[in-house]
């Protein structure tokens, strides 16, 4: 089978011509670097994305803490993960990289903070 | 209050921070950053998605992570940072510069400096800039404002969204609003090609089956207090909407992602000459504006789609500003850079003979199998063929040595 996909691994966005069968990738053309071939394999058989969002935070000078999954997760799991994210509420202080939720929704990825927020008594 | 410094950087976004660090690394002692918000990082703090830093840090960071790396670098220096402090005026008399700041805690501050670096970023075009007919209800806002509301304050602009313009901010917001539970009904683009990066079309629209209408526009907005619908029509080659094919989409919010404009009121009031195409200051190869001692970098100079390039440009800017401080180089006598076929703009406006040069440029329209050519007289300084090239992707071209006696340097596509 043949399919043309766009590599999203970097802003270049190469057009990849992918040839594959039921089990494996046969050939990838058009990728400017190796990551393209790797991406094509994933995208054809089990597409994955990184989820970035925010969770509520108490005791910081802002109401929201930005978070991400520390690796890409199955596309099918994205909305379950978002539902879980809505429920989370944490307390300052938080350091960038701290784990907010381990193995979120069994996706294999941890939800981590992407920002450092100190504790403050001054709420805006 | 009066402050005396060697250099002042206006704006504490990625460009301002990188410029200040570079000034320090080039031996400038007293460096001050004035930032009007109560945090450093600029627009990056609301760009919580990933896709930043692939070139600089060889990893994919989110906006806040990229910003914090620079904030951490700054903390290890003695650069003075004034937050909640807005620059309101720049006065240049010969080598002396005065910058007036308005600060929430200290009131008016008069800063004496030898070097000023402009790093104020840009702002979004709004409805007034593009003139859509119809009523003026609530629920119509720029995509960047929506991004700020959702990502920094947790307010949702609506539940059924239409986005006008396919710039990256609009695309990123289409995904963000979908994740937050809204229904994004359509993205409408006047051009026949998307305004944003390909990867954002894939991961922000195609992933969620959000339709993208190319060569379409919004011809009417309905709603009294709150927006309730828009009319969408295809356009012909003269950009006239085709009435008979108009269709209606109900919605409770319309986000505009129709481009950015460098924020240059401050610069033009100071007497800095602006480029009509980029909206930013005209600069020489040292990124010095038409006023000696005033430099510019980042989005205030021209819109960058990649923060990595904004940081890199700011570093170069800090370096040449440092040189200026130490040696008082006057405006480099430069060879004019001319934008030719398919080139929307090429920056800087002059290059210095005998030195290496770096040209940033964008195309006017998408092109296939096009070669970027840089020529001085008959000699080709650079040539590279691209399979595909888009206006959304800025190109950065390095020239080894700018020839000594050329009349002009021509940049064009073939
Ligand atoms: C929505 C969006 C998505 C993006 N996505 C990506 C991406 O995925 N990957 C990527 O690499 N890049 C991305 N970018 C581009 C990147 O964010 C910009 O190139 C970069 O932020 C430009 O930096 P800057 O410092 O020039 O401007 P800004 O970040 O805008 O900073 C300017 C600063 O100056 C301050 N300021 C302005 N006027 C004054 C004044 N008079 N006095 C004091 N302070 C002032 C402002 O408050 C602000 O903090 C995105 C940009 C946007 C808007
Ligand atoms: S193939 Fe490599 S260069 Fe091309 S988009 Fe993917 S990561 Fe970027």
């Amino acid at each position: 089978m043949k399919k043309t996909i766009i590599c999203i691994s970097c802003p270049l966005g190469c057009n990849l011509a992918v040839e594959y069968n039921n089990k494996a990738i046969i050939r990838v053309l058009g990728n400017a670097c190796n990551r393209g071939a790797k991406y094509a394999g994933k995208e054809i058989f089990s597409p994955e994305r990184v989820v970035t969002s925010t969770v509520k935070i108490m005791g910081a000078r802002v109401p929201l803490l930005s978070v991400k999954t520390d690796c890409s997760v199955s596309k099918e799991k994205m909305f379950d993960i978002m539902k879980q994210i809505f429920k989370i509420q944490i307390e300052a202080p938080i350091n960038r990289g701290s784990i907010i939720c381990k193995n979120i929704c069994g996706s294999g990825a941890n939800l981590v903070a992407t920002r450092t927020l100190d504790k403050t008594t001054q709420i805006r | 209050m009066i402050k005396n410094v060697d250099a002042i950087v206006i704006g504490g976004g990625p460009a301002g921070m990188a410029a200040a660090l570079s000034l320090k690394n080039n031996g400038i002692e007293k460096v001050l950053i004035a930032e009007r918000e109560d945090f450093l990082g600029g627009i990056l703090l609301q760009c919580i998605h990933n896709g930043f830093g692939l070139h600089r840090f060889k990893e994919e960071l989110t906006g806040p992570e990229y910003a914090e790396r620079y904030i951490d670098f700054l903390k290890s220096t003695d650069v003075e940072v004034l937050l909640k402090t807005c620059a309101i005026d720049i006065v240049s008399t010969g080598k002396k510069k005065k910058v007036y700041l308005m600060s929430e805690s200290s009131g008016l501050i008069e800063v004496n400096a030898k070097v000023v670096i402009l790093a104020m970023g840009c702002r979004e075009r709004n409805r007034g800039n593009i003139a859509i007919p119809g009523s003026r209800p609530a629920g119509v806002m720029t995509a960047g404002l929506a991004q700020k509301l959702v990502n920094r304050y947790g307010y949702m602009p609506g539940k059924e969204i239409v986005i006008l313009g396919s710039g990256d901010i609009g695309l990123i917001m289409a995904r963000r609003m979908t994740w937050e539970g809204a229904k994004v009904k359509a993205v409408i683009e006047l051009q026949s090609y998307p305004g944003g990066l390909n990867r954002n079309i894939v991961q922000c629209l195609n992933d969620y089956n959000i339709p993208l209408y190319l060569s379409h526009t919004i011809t009417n907005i309905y709603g009294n207090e709150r927006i309730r619908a828009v009319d969408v029509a295809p356009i012909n080659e003269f950009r006239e909407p085709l009435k008979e094919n108009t269709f209606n989409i109900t919605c409770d919010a319309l986000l505009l992602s129709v481009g950015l404009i460098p924020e240059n009121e401050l610069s033009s009031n100071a007497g800095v000459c602006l480029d009509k195409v980029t909206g930013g200051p005209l600069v020489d190869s040292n990124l010095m504006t038409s006023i000696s001692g005033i430099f510019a970098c980042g989005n205030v100079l021209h819109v960058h789609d990649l923060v990595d390039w904004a940081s890199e440009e700011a570093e170069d800017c800090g370096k040449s500003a440092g040189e200026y401080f130490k040696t008082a180089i006057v405006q480099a006598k430069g060879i004019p850079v001319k934008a030719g076929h398919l080139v929307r703009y090429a920056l800087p406006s002059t290059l210095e003979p005998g030195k290496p040069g770096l040209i940033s440029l964008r195309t006017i329209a998408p092109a296939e199998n096009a070669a970027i050519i840089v020529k001085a007289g008959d000699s080709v300084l650079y040539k590279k063929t691209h399979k595909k090239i888009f206006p959304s992707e800025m190109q950065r071209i390095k020239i080894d040595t700018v020839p000594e006696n050329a009349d002009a340097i021509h940049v064009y596509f073939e």
Side-chain angles (χ1 to χ4, degrees):
Chain A
M1 286 166 281
K2 280 185 185 172
K3 204 169 174 182
T4 320
I5 59 173
I6 292 169
C7 178
I8 61 166
S9 309
C10 91
L12 268 183
C14 295
N15 274 302
L16 312 179
V18 193
E19 219 182 297
Y20 60 102
N21 59 30
N22 291 340
K23 288 189 210 106
I25 301 287
I26 301 166
R27 187 165 36 205
V28 179
L29 294 173
N31 50 317
C33 81
N34 290 337
R35 292 182 25 201
K38 213 171 136 197
Y39 171 80
K42 279 239 167 107
E43 191 62 15
I44 297 287
F45 296 109
S46 60
E48 290 184 353
R49 300 287 185 264
V50 170
V51 174
T52 55
S53 189
T54 54
V55 297
K56 291 184 206 78
I57 185 163
M58 306 295 282
R61 65 189 173 83
V62 292
L64 297 174
L65 169 74
S66 53
V67 293
K68 69 173 182 185
T69 55
D70 61 358
C71 58
S72 51
V73 298
S74 157
K75 244 167 117 176
E76 291 158 16
K77 284 241 153 85
M78 281 191 306
F79 284 94
D80 291 340
I81 291 175
M82 279 305 297
K83 269 189 205 140
Q84 190 61 34
I85 286 176
F86 291 146
K87 291 186 203 148
I88 298 173
Q89 176 164 342
I90 53 157
E91 287 275 341
I94 281 286
N95 284 325
R96 174 172 90 237
S98 322
I99 296 178
I100 306 296
C101 179
K102 264 213 169 114
N103 187 17
I104 188 164
C105 301
S107 63
N110 299 319
L111 192 72
V112 298
T114 58
R115 189 176 178 185
T116 302
L117 285 173
D118 298 331
K119 195 168 182 63
T120 174
T121 44
Q122 231 187 326
I123 307 288
R124 288 211 303 152
Chain B
M1 186 175 16
I2 296 180
K3 262 183 187 293
N4 297 310
V5 297
D6 297 333
I8 176 168
V9 179
I10 305 176
M17 291 195 287
L21 282 168
S22 167
L23 282 166
K24 283 306 299 185
N25 292 338
N26 284 285
I28 306 306
E29 276 188 14
K30 290 182 103 181
V31 179
L32 173 72
I33 299 180
E35 166 56 54
R36 70 178 167 203
E37 298 277 350
D38 65 348
F39 54 83
L40 289 171
I43 198 84
L44 291 181
L45 270 277
Q46 69 186 62
C47 299
I48 62 165
H49 60 282
N50 64 343
F52 300 82
L54 274 164
H55 295 274
R56 292 254 103 183
F57 298 115
K58 303 284 173 254
E59 49 181 310
E60 196 161 4
L61 302 172
T62 63
E65 288 171 311
Y66 188 97
E68 272 193 16
R69 293 227 172 165
Y70 273 88
I71 294 171
D72 290 348
F73 293 151
L74 268 183
K75 276 189 188 148
S76 65
T77 68
D78 60 358
V79 170
E80 186 181 0
V81 179
L82 296 177
L83 297 174
K84 296 196 201 176
T85 302
C86 187
I88 49 172
D89 204 8
I90 305 170
V91 180
S92 171
T93 31
K95 289 222 169 90
K96 289 190 188 136
K97 316 279 174 248
K98 262 190 205 307
V99 178
Y100 294 92
L101 306 175
M102 192 52 96
S103 137
E104 198 178 282
S105 54
S106 326
L108 189 69
I109 307 173
E110 189 182 315
V111 179
N112 295 306
K114 246 172 120 179
V115 165
V116 178
I117 295 186
L118 307 172
M120 290 94 76
C122 53
R123 61 158 185 270
E124 294 179 278
R125 275 181 222 276
N126 56 34
R127 191 173 168 185
N129 298 111
I130 51 166
I132 317 167
S135 59
R136 318 236 127 209
V140 183
M141 69 183 83
T142 63
L145 176 60
Q147 186 180 47
K148 187 170 176 177
L149 292 177
V150 177
N151 293 347
R152 280 180 49 199
Y153 304 108
Y155 298 126
M156 280 291 278
K159 288 202 177 73
E160 295 192 302
I161 320 285
V162 171
I163 299 175
L164 176 63
S166 57
D168 285 316
I169 315 177
L171 300 178
I172 296 284
M173 280 314 288
R175 177 179 64 182
R176 184 78 185 111
M177 306 283 283
T178 308
W179 279 350
E180 287 288 331
K183 169 111 188 111
V184 179
K185 293 186 138 179
V187 176
I188 318 285
E189 171 60 56
L190 188 68
Q191 305 284 357
S192 56
Y193 53 88
L197 296 172
N198 253 336
R199 66 188 312 229
N200 287 337
I201 300 290
V202 174
Q203 60 183 353
C204 300
L205 300 187
N206 300 358
D207 272 4
Y208 309 97
N209 301 316
I210 297 170
L212 169 62
Y213 295 93
L214 297 172
S215 303
H216 277 67
T217 190
I218 290 183
T219 52
N220 212 339
I221 293 177
Y222 300 94
N224 292 324
E225 264 158 38
R226 175 114 205 148
I227 182 169
R228 59 183 167 78
V230 291
D231 277 342
V232 178
I235 54 163
N236 63 17
E237 72 247 57
F238 309 108
R239 288 207 175 172
E240 294 157 350
L242 301 170
K243 278 210 184 93
E244 58 280 18
N245 297 332
T246 301
F247 55 100
N248 186 275
I249 305 179
T250 56
C251 61
D252 62 1
L254 171 64
L255 309 189
L256 308 175
S257 178
V258 288
L260 301 163
I261 322 174
E263 175 103 42
N264 274 299
E265 280 68 27
L266 195 59
S267 334
S268 59
N269 285 344
V272 168
C273 297
L274 301 184
D275 181 323
K276 280 200 196 80
V277 181
T278 59
L282 283 164
V283 290
D284 67 9
S285 50
N286 294 319
L287 302 177
M288 180 143 76
T289 66
S290 57
I291 300 180
S292 289
I294 302 186
F295 295 77
C297 57
N299 275 359
V300 79
L301 181 55
H302 56 142
V303 175
H304 293 254
D305 27 69
L306 288 186
V307 69
D308 307 65
W309 300 149
S311 301
E312 187 181 279
E313 185 177 88
E315 236 160 65
D316 291 348
C317 184
K319 191 167 168 224
S320 42
E323 283 297 305
Y324 168 88
F325 183 85
K326 285 180 273 185
T327 60
I329 40 161
V330 273
Q331 221 94 20
K333 203 185 149 310
I335 302 171
V337 178
K338 307 249 183 211
H341 181 60
L342 264 179
V343 178
R344 193 162 84 83
Y345 71 82
L347 184 145
S349 56
T350 60
L351 283 176
E352 207 171 334
K355 294 245 173 104
L358 180 65
I359 303 175
S360 303
L361 64 94
R362 279 182 198 271
T363 55
I364 292 174
E368 284 186 20
N369 298 317
I372 305 178
I373 297 174
V374 182
K375 241 180 171 180
D378 285 336
S379 68
V380 175
L381 306 178
Y382 178 96
K383 181 171 179 174
K384 191 177 171 196
T385 307
H386 289 255
K387 257 202 204 146
K388 275 193 177 158
I389 197 152
F390 290 96
S392 54
E393 292 165 16
M394 184 202 292
Q395 307 292 325
R396 309 248 297 161
I397 294 174
K398 288 200 169 91
I399 308 286
D400 295 335
T401 320
V402 177
E404 293 281 353
N405 41 19
D407 295 332
I409 290 165
H410 294 274
V411 186
Y412 59 96
F413 282 90
E414 203 171 75

